[in-house]
Amino acid sequence: MGAEAGHNMNANSRNYNYFNDSGYAKVSFDGFINENYFLIQSQEKNLVQNLEISHAIVKNPLSYQNDAYIGLLLKSKYDGIGNRQPIDMSIALDISGSMCSIDGNDGKSRLTLAKESLKKLVTIMDTNYDRMSLITFNHNTEEIFGLLNKEEISSKFLNDIDSIKARGGTDLVLALKTAMNNFNFEELTTKEKRIILITDAAYNDLNDNLFNLFRQCVEEKGISVTIMCISSESNLSLADKVCNFKGCNYFPICKSSDLDFFLVKNFKYIFFPICYDTKLTIKSENAQISKCFGGGNEIIDEYENRNNESAPSLSNEITFNLGSIFSSDILKINDKIYSKGGLILLKINPNDLALQEELKFEFTLEYKLLDNNKASQNYSYSFHFGNGYEYFSDNNIKKGISIFYFASVLNHIVEIQNKRNYSQDGKNDENQKSRDLSLLESKQIVSDFLSKNFMIEPDNNETKDNLNNYKKMMEERYTHFKTLIVGFYPSLYISY
């Protein structure tokens, strides 16, 4: 299950890595977690949300100290099937001049990719229940067709989609207002209502007018909004704000295949929430939670903070909001079930007196169901810090910790590389020399770390064959960093 800001514990949306054909613009723990699958002990049959808990004692490859972690894997009875409901979709397609831009190597413009994906979306609509409308917008708006069913669109309007041309500027406020008015509010229906805004307006912020429109859509009209930003420069600030609205999400479309991936292949997951207002509370009497990674929390750069005395304050109790939750994809391999995304990692600091006793934790998971009824579950968990030897209670937390350190150092590499690329003084710049040394050190840390059995390889040839397509996708995405990091191989991402 995905939790993000529009979370599929497979992630809501803002929690993906942002990258383009020349490399990453930003990486995070959430981003890597939401690209990976994790073994679940049993497929959930009854609960909308449930937790599987694990723990680990591990030597930090950056500080060389022993760290304690708890892993929380969220799962749902809707994982693998989605919570597919009849839906009315109002599509707002950006046709401003910048949509003629070509980002990938396939020679297709942003607008061409959008039109191709929209035609595929029509083919997966439910003939009896789903409806879709389409408007185009730049500095003005134009209705291509109102709310119609699959048969009506297929027989009359597919050619109209092909004929759309790009021109003009961008007015997101006008687009959202027009898309909202395409719904029939006199109609009594329990359908999912969603505006899908496809745009490359990466630099638009959620100003007062746009914010008020979002609030009106969600709180007054009961309409959720999804933004799909076709750009190599995604707006993280806008993503965070959008995803804080009930049922809303934001997806960066950084490569030509991403729009199909989200809009078509993951349609039954990302447009249908399974619950809202999710909160997770962790308490302990003899340990403190020092850091939390996942569920929409911004990654703390462990590389930068390894000698930083101004670390975050410790707490015996922490509550954080996961917001709206969406279900996620699953894989079934050799009678084992793997859920995509959904891992939250807690870094634990035992009290001095607790080092020789059992560390005890209480977890409370609270959320609001789609019928507005509230639900909650309580969990207890305990383990010993032990004598300092490394220990992993399962492979999920082993993989999660590996991904965390990898993402932390890789993010550091990205930042240094970006500074290096924009340096004006070249090799004579003392700051440049310092950055180069730090870059080399970071590469070596990643190389050393990946060589220490933190990767869980597929256990047989059948599993490897079943994962072949996933492996190809991961190799394509990480080609840039294979050349940047010594000894890098993407088995961290394809392994289970």
Side-chain angles (χ1 to χ4, degrees), residues 165-289:
K165 306 295 182 183
R167 60 197 180 277
T170 306
D171 190 334
L172 290 182
V173 172
L174 181 61
L176 194 60
K177 187 180 297 184
T178 306
M180 181 174 62
N181 291 333
N182 265 2
F183 293 97
N184 182 356
F185 297 107
E186 301 298 324
E187 198 174 45
L188 295 177
T189 178
T190 57
K191 283 185 175 183
E192 172 77 16
K193 297 184 181 70
R194 185 168 293 269
I195 293 171
I196 302 174
L197 192 64
I198 303 174
T199 179
D200 65 351
Y203 296 103
N204 278 274
D205 203 355
L206 200 59
N207 57 39
D208 288 345
N209 289 335
L210 199 55
F211 181 89
N212 289 333
L213 266 178
F214 263 91
R215 184 186 55 76
Q216 185 181 0
C217 280
V218 176
E219 298 178 8
E220 298 179 19
K221 303 295 186 180
I223 303 170
S224 301
V225 181
T226 295
I227 294 181
M228 296 192 169
C229 186
I230 310 177
S231 173
S232 59
E233 298 292 338
S234 297
N235 189 327
L236 303 184
S237 174
L238 178 60
D240 283 340
K241 293 174 183 177
V242 167
C243 292
N244 285 330
F245 284 96
K246 178 181 176 181
C248 297
N249 44 22
Y250 176 105
F251 295 92
I253 310 300
C254 302
K255 294 179 73 69
S256 57
S257 59
D258 286 348
L259 193 56
D260 272 359
F261 178 78
F262 292 119
L263 188 61
V264 181
K265 293 179 182 177
N266 283 277
F267 178 82
K268 66 181 180 181
Y269 299 122
I270 69 172
F271 296 133
F272 304 97
I274 59 174
C275 59
Y276 304 109
D277 301 336
T278 303
K279 295 181 180 180
L280 181 62
T281 300
I282 306 104
K283 299 179 182 179
S284 176
E285 294 182 358
N286 59 356
Q288 297 170 314
I289 299 95

Side-chain angles (χ1 to χ4, degrees), residues 215-467:
R215 184 186 55 76
Q216 185 181 0
C217 280
V218 176
E219 298 178 8
E220 298 179 19
K221 303 295 186 180
I223 303 170
S224 301
V225 181
T226 295
I227 294 181
M228 296 192 169
C229 186
I230 310 177
S231 173
S232 59
E233 298 292 338
S234 297
N235 189 327
L236 303 184
S237 174
L238 178 60
D240 283 340
K241 293 174 183 177
V242 167
C243 292
N244 285 330
F245 284 96
K246 178 181 176 181
C248 297
N249 44 22
Y250 176 105
F251 295 92
I253 310 300
C254 302
K255 294 179 73 69
S256 57
S257 59
D258 286 348
L259 193 56
D260 272 359
F261 178 78
F262 292 119
L263 188 61
V264 181
K265 293 179 182 177
N266 283 277
F267 178 82
K268 66 181 180 181
Y269 299 122
I270 69 172
F271 296 133
F272 304 97
I274 59 174
C275 59
Y276 304 109
D277 301 336
T278 303
K279 295 181 180 180
L280 181 62
T281 300
I282 306 104
K283 299 179 182 179
S284 176
E285 294 182 358
N286 59 356
Q288 297 170 314
I289 299 95
S290 64
K291 297 176 185 177
C292 175
F293 310 101
N297 289 267
E298 185 67 21
I299 187 169
I300 298 174
D301 192 336
E302 190 75 5
Y303 186 94
E304 291 290 349
N305 289 336
R306 56 181 165 164
N307 296 313
N308 186 357
E309 296 181 357
S310 59
S313 59
L314 305 179
S315 176
N316 291 93
E317 178 176 344
I318 184 172
T319 298
F320 59 97
N321 297 320
L322 297 176
S324 301
I325 302 295
F326 298 71
S327 58
S328 67
D329 189 20
I330 62 171
L331 285 178
K332 294 183 179 180
I333 303 172
N334 299 337
D335 298 324
K336 295 180 180 180
I337 300 172
Y338 301 88
S339 177
K340 191 175 186 182
L343 184 70
I344 297 173
L345 201 61
L346 304 174
K347 189 173 183 180
I348 305 302
N349 281 45
N351 297 343
D352 291 340
L353 296 178
L355 291 176
Q356 302 303 320
E357 63 184 42
E358 196 172 48
L359 304 179
K360 297 180 180 180
F361 300 87
E362 300 291 332
F363 302 89
T364 301
L365 183 65
E366 302 172 278
Y367 50 97
K368 188 179 291 185
L369 300 170
L370 300 185
D371 60 6
N372 284 324
N373 286 322
K374 294 182 179 180
S376 65
Q377 288 108 242
N378 296 310
Y379 309 82
S380 297
Y381 192 79
S382 61
F383 66 94
H384 283 91
F385 189 79
N387 55 12
Y389 289 114
E390 289 189 331
Y391 173 80
F392 302 89
S393 64
D394 66 18
N395 279 343
N396 286 336
I397 194 165
K398 187 175 186 180
K399 186 175 183 182
I401 293 171
S402 300
I403 290 172
F404 161 59
Y405 285 123
F406 183 84
S408 179
V409 178
L410 191 56
N411 203 46
H412 185 67
I413 292 174
V414 172
E415 292 174 0
I416 296 172
Q417 190 70 42
N418 288 340
K419 292 177 182 177
R420 188 175 187 272
N421 290 341
Y422 288 104
S423 173
Q424 296 179 352
D425 298 327
K427 295 182 179 179
N428 294 325
D429 184 354
E430 289 301 319
N431 291 329
Q432 179 63 57
K433 293 179 181 178
S434 175
R435 286 193 291 267
D436 284 344
L437 288 173
S438 186
L439 181 62
L440 290 172
E441 181 188 19
S442 300
K443 292 179 186 178
Q444 190 59 48
I445 289 173
V446 172
S447 178
D448 290 346
F449 188 72
L450 293 180
S451 67
K452 293 181 179 177
N453 287 327
F454 275 80
M455 300 163 292
I456 306 99
E457 294 288 352
D459 53 8
N460 56 50
N461 289 330
E462 181 180 357
T463 302
K464 291 181 180 179
D465 290 341
N466 287 332
L467 297 177

Side-chain angles (χ1 to χ4, degrees), residues 118-119 121-125 127 132 145 148-161:
L118 285 177
K119 289 192 291 183
L121 177 60
V122 173
T123 67
I124 65 170
M125 291 174 60
T127 303
M132 185 174 86
F145 53 85
L148 298 176
N149 62 34
K150 177 179 179 178
E151 183 178 342
E152 292 170 320
I153 299 171
S154 299
S155 62
K156 300 177 182 179
F157 292 100
L158 286 183
N159 289 336
D160 291 348
I161 294 176

